[in-house]
Amino acid sequence: MLGLFRTHRAGRLLTTLSCAFAAASVPLFPWGDAFASAGNGPADKAVAAPLPGGLGPCVPGTCPPGPYPPVTNDPVRFRDNAINIFAGGDFRVRGSAAEAEGRVVVLGDFDQDKAAGASAIYNIGEAGVGSKVAPDVGTDWLTTGGDVTIATGERLLAEAGVVRHAGTASGTILAQRVVKDPDAAAPYAGLRGQLNAASQCYAHGEAGTRTATGTAKHGGGETLFTGDGTSALQVFNVDFDLASASGGQEGIRFANIPDGATVLVNVLGTRRVLNTYSGGIDDATDPLNQLRESLLWNFPDATDVEIKGTGQFQGSVLIGQNSSDTTVSVPGINGRFFTTGSITHTSSASGGGGQEFHNYPFVGDLPECGSTPTVTGTVEVAKKDAADGKALSGAVFELWRETNGVSGVQTSGANPDTQVDAPCTTDAQGKCRAAVPLGTYYWVETKAPKGYDLPSPATFGPLVVTEANARQGVKVTAKNQKKPAPEKLGALHVVKKDRTSGRPLAGAVFELWRETNGTAGLQTAGANPDTRQGQGCATDGHGHCDFRDLRLGTYYLKETAVPDGYRLPSPAVTGPYRLTEDNATKGVTVRLSNVRDDTDKKGRRR
């Protein structure tokens, strides 16, 4: 039965979309009427709930008759006019990234500025290595709603296709045609909202987080997804990074997945990292590859996503937050890549190039979604130095939603407001972001960055997310003052010796006085004396006496008692001794001596 399920899915032709997103005003198939799945089968088999907007399966061209070819450098044999990569924001090419196979649609700007020493070329549409299923010759291979900017000395290759752009085009673009069209992205503008709603629906449904059918266990150097063995839709919810405890690579493995099932992995959380070595070039020997065309990785809430490692990442990706930034540096993405935010295609900081998006369809059956999905927006706090505006990492914030009807935020008591998610620590850009439903929110700073004072008050808001501002989100800046530099302190070290022999003298007692009255010399009495510092100090067996933790300034020593058999000096006051920035660390050493007293108690010479 499961085998029959696979055969049915592989051979169908999409003729209708019963998912509610199909009611959108955006043309589902702006490139034409023909729409086929992975094969050219009978036209009477309908999909219950595919991705919105007609995204996912192959659009003829000449679609492969079954699963797409494995990653290869063979000549192009098949043609697929579906969108393989969609970005609701910008698409940036950095590092040593090499190519994006298939059709690419970007509502914002396309910006290519690769690293010095990297290959100057980035391929769009047809790739040197990939599934080798390319768009039709002469069709739009890259479409942008903004500018196309290619850095000096670099080249964008879409040689047999069209680059259609709404903004300006600069730099070297090698294409059959480069067309300026103010309405270039208009047919696809509605996809952003549809994908945002779909991503929320797949993960959260209409009654909270969607019920998982399987388990995701993180540990032992891998994340193991274990299905229930029967459901046609296998749902997994992941609320952790797919990376080792130290942030390194780990494996991804699926078990107990029935033949032909759709696999939906909801990766929850506002920041997520996938760092894996799993997935390979050889489809025959890598079991993860077998799930490729029916595996969807869904990030409904993430505003920061990083997909890295050394694996050929398998499956399609959906990122549903408009304010999201996704960085891709794995060697290959093997599946559709749809984000309502921005993409940076780059290479690993540790070296190695040739990163590629490969053109593979998604033909799975997904959950049905209501016609009025929850609208979400983003709330962001930017932490900065109050003096110079520099971004500050390491500040910890809690996000609270107004729920108790009392003005302002209440974080304790009998009826507090509601805390949203776990505390967030500002990143290298000094930012914390969260995807939230419409409502009123407050950021509460609970820990300042190192070296800074916690502001007072430490609450920032209200931030009101409405339908009108949900797309761009709501932002607030929180500034911190640096802690005052600690007052520098110094020390005064007394060394007492016999004036004749140089022998250390124990038992000499000193008072320390700080110059405070502005009159030269030491005044210990009267209406305005100088200030005595602490208790007296007696020299030890080494003749040493130390006064520590002294503020910078001017001091006097007053000797009040001498060792037995020695004469009190006259005058008994020495100084001034000055502690400064330059000598405070080492301190000031005062060397004093006493002479023996050669008279007896009656004043007679001994």
Side-chain angles (χ1 to χ4, degrees):
M1 180 175 179
L2 293 175
L4 291 174
F5 180 65
R6 164 70 72 178
T7 303
H8 166 75
R9 291 173 65 255
R12 67 193 169 202
L13 175 69
L14 179 65
T15 59
T16 182
L17 293 175
S18 65
C19 179
F21 301 113
S25 59
V26 176
L28 290 177
F29 315 119
W31 47 83
D33 296 329
F35 187 97
S37 69
N40 298 316
D44 59 349
K45 302 296 184 182
V47 175
L51 283 163
L55 299 173
C58 178
V59 174
T62 306
C63 297
Y68 274 40
V71 174
T72 179
N73 60 357
D74 290 344
V76 172
R77 295 175 50 213
F78 302 106
R79 298 286 176 178
D80 174 10
N81 291 312
I83 297 172
N84 190 50
I85 303 170
F86 173 84
D90 300 327
F91 190 116
R92 298 176 287 265
V93 179
R94 299 291 186 265
S96 301
E99 52 196 22
E101 190 176 41
R103 290 192 63 224
V104 179
V105 173
V106 182
L107 297 189
D109 297 330
F110 181 92
D111 181 1
Q112 178 181 327
D113 189 3
K114 300 175 69 173
S119 167
I121 295 172
Y122 190 81
N123 291 297
I124 286 278
E126 185 174 326
V129 175
S131 68
K132 303 303 289 187
V133 182
D136 276 336
V137 172
T139 60
D140 291 355
W141 288 13
L142 172 63
T143 303
T144 73
D147 301 336
V148 179
T149 305
I150 311 302
T152 302
E154 298 183 20
R155 289 168 286 164
L156 175 66
L157 302 188
E159 293 174 292
V162 174
V163 173
R164 188 177 301 274
H165 59 96
T168 61
S170 60
T172 302
I173 304 169
L174 301 180
Q176 192 179 92
R177 288 187 302 148
V178 179
V179 179
K180 181 174 176 59
D181 177 358
D183 297 322
Y188 315 103
L191 287 177
R192 197 180 200 197
Q194 294 178 58
L195 288 170
N196 178 278
S199 181
Q200 287 294 312
C201 164
Y202 300 154
H204 302 307
E206 297 178 356
T209 301
R210 186 171 297 279
T211 301
T213 61
T215 61
K217 184 178 180 181
H218 184 59
E222 70 173 9
T223 295
L224 173 60
F225 296 90
T226 303
D228 65 6
T230 59
S231 299
L233 175 64
Q234 299 283 313
V235 179
F236 301 93
N237 295 327
V238 175
D239 61 357
F240 50 81
D241 290 340
L242 274 69
S244 71
S246 62
Q249 296 190 74
E250 71 167 20
I252 295 173
R253 185 161 61 93
F254 288 85
N256 209 29
I257 305 297
D259 184 31
T262 297
V263 179
L264 171 62
V265 181
N266 292 315
V267 186
L268 309 177
T270 57
R271 298 181 182 187
R272 282 293 168 246
V273 175
L274 276 66
N275 190 1
T276 184
Y277 54 79
S278 293
I281 297 292
D282 188 355
D283 286 358
T285 59
D286 197 316
L288 183 58
N289 294 26
Q290 307 308 311
L291 296 176
R292 178 169 53 217
E293 296 186 12
S294 56
L295 171 59
L296 180 67
W297 301 87
N298 178 38
F299 298 78
D301 309 316
T303 53
D304 292 278
V305 179
E306 185 175 10
I307 302 176
K308 62 182 181 178
T310 58
Q312 287 284 331
F313 191 81
Q314 302 296 321
S316 294
V317 175
L318 172 59
I319 300 170
Q321 285 300 319
N322 296 350
S323 61
S324 63
D325 275 301
T326 301
T327 302
V328 175
S329 60
V330 285
I333 292 282
N334 298 281
R336 306 294 196 207
F337 200 98
F338 305 136
T339 175
T340 62
S342 296
I343 306 170
T344 299
H345 194 200
T346 187
S347 53
S348 169
S350 61
Q355 285 71 20
E356 302 164 354
F357 285 98
H358 297 148
N359 185 28
Y360 287 96
F362 175 78
V363 297
D365 295 328
L366 293 163
E368 295 223 27
C369 295
S371 58
T372 56
T374 301
V375 178
T376 63
T378 57
V379 287
E380 176 183 299
V381 60
K383 172 59 63 176
K384 295 185 178 182
D385 184 295
D388 60 16
K390 180 183 69 174
L392 299 177
S393 62
V396 179
F397 284 90
E398 295 175 350
L399 180 63
W400 291 78
R401 183 177 184 181
E402 174 60 64
T403 56
N404 64 2
V406 180
S407 180
V409 62
Q410 291 80 44
T411 62
S412 60
N415 185 27
D417 292 308
T418 302
Q419 186 174 351
V420 179
D421 296 331
C424 171
T425 301
T426 55
D427 58 17
Q429 287 72 47
K431 293 181 179 180
C432 279
R433 285 185 285 187
V436 294
L438 305 186
T440 299
Y441 297 86
Y442 297 85
W443 288 105
V444 179
E445 187 172 355
T446 60
K447 182 181 178 182
K450 186 177 180 180
Y452 287 82
D453 285 323
L454 197 67
S456 180
T459 298
F460 302 90
L463 289 83
V464 182
V465 182
T466 66
E467 288 193 19
N469 65 26
R471 174 170 291 187
Q472 68 267 27
V474 184
K475 303 177 182 180
V476 66
T477 298
K479 296 181 180 180
N480 287 68
Q481 300 278 357
K482 283 185 177 178
K483 290 180 180 291
E487 184 177 9
K488 199 165 189 178
L489 300 176
L492 193 147
H493 310 289
V494 179
V495 179
K496 171 65 74 169
K497 293 184 178 181
D498 180 292
R499 185 174 297 175
T500 302
S501 68
R503 179 173 62 87
L505 297 180
V509 179
F510 292 89
E511 293 175 353
L512 181 66
W513 291 75
R514 178 180 170 86
E515 172 61 63
T516 57
N517 64 2
T519 302
L522 173 63
Q523 293 80 44
T524 62
N528 186 25
D530 291 310
T531 303
R532 184 174 172 179
Q533 305 293 295
Q535 303 299 313
C537 176
T539 56
D540 59 18
H542 300 285
H544 291 175
C545 173
D546 296 318
F547 295 93
R548 299 186 180 279
D549 298 327
L550 302 177
R551 296 168 57 196
L552 304 186
T554 300
Y555 293 88
Y556 297 89
L557 286 167
K558 181 179 179 181
E559 191 167 354
T560 61
V562 294
D564 187 38
Y566 285 83
R567 182 184 305 166
L568 189 70
S570 180
V573 173
T574 59
Y577 306 111
R578 292 182 175 85
L579 282 174
T580 67
E581 287 275 355
D582 293 335
N583 64 26
T585 301
K586 186 176 181 180
V588 172
T589 299
V590 178
R591 303 182 187 278
L592 300 174
S593 60
N594 286 91
V595 298
R596 295 192 64 83
D597 188 351
D598 57 358
T599 61
D600 60 18
K601 293 182 179 180
K602 294 183 179 181
R604 295 174 296 193
R605 186 176 296 278
R606 292 174 176 171

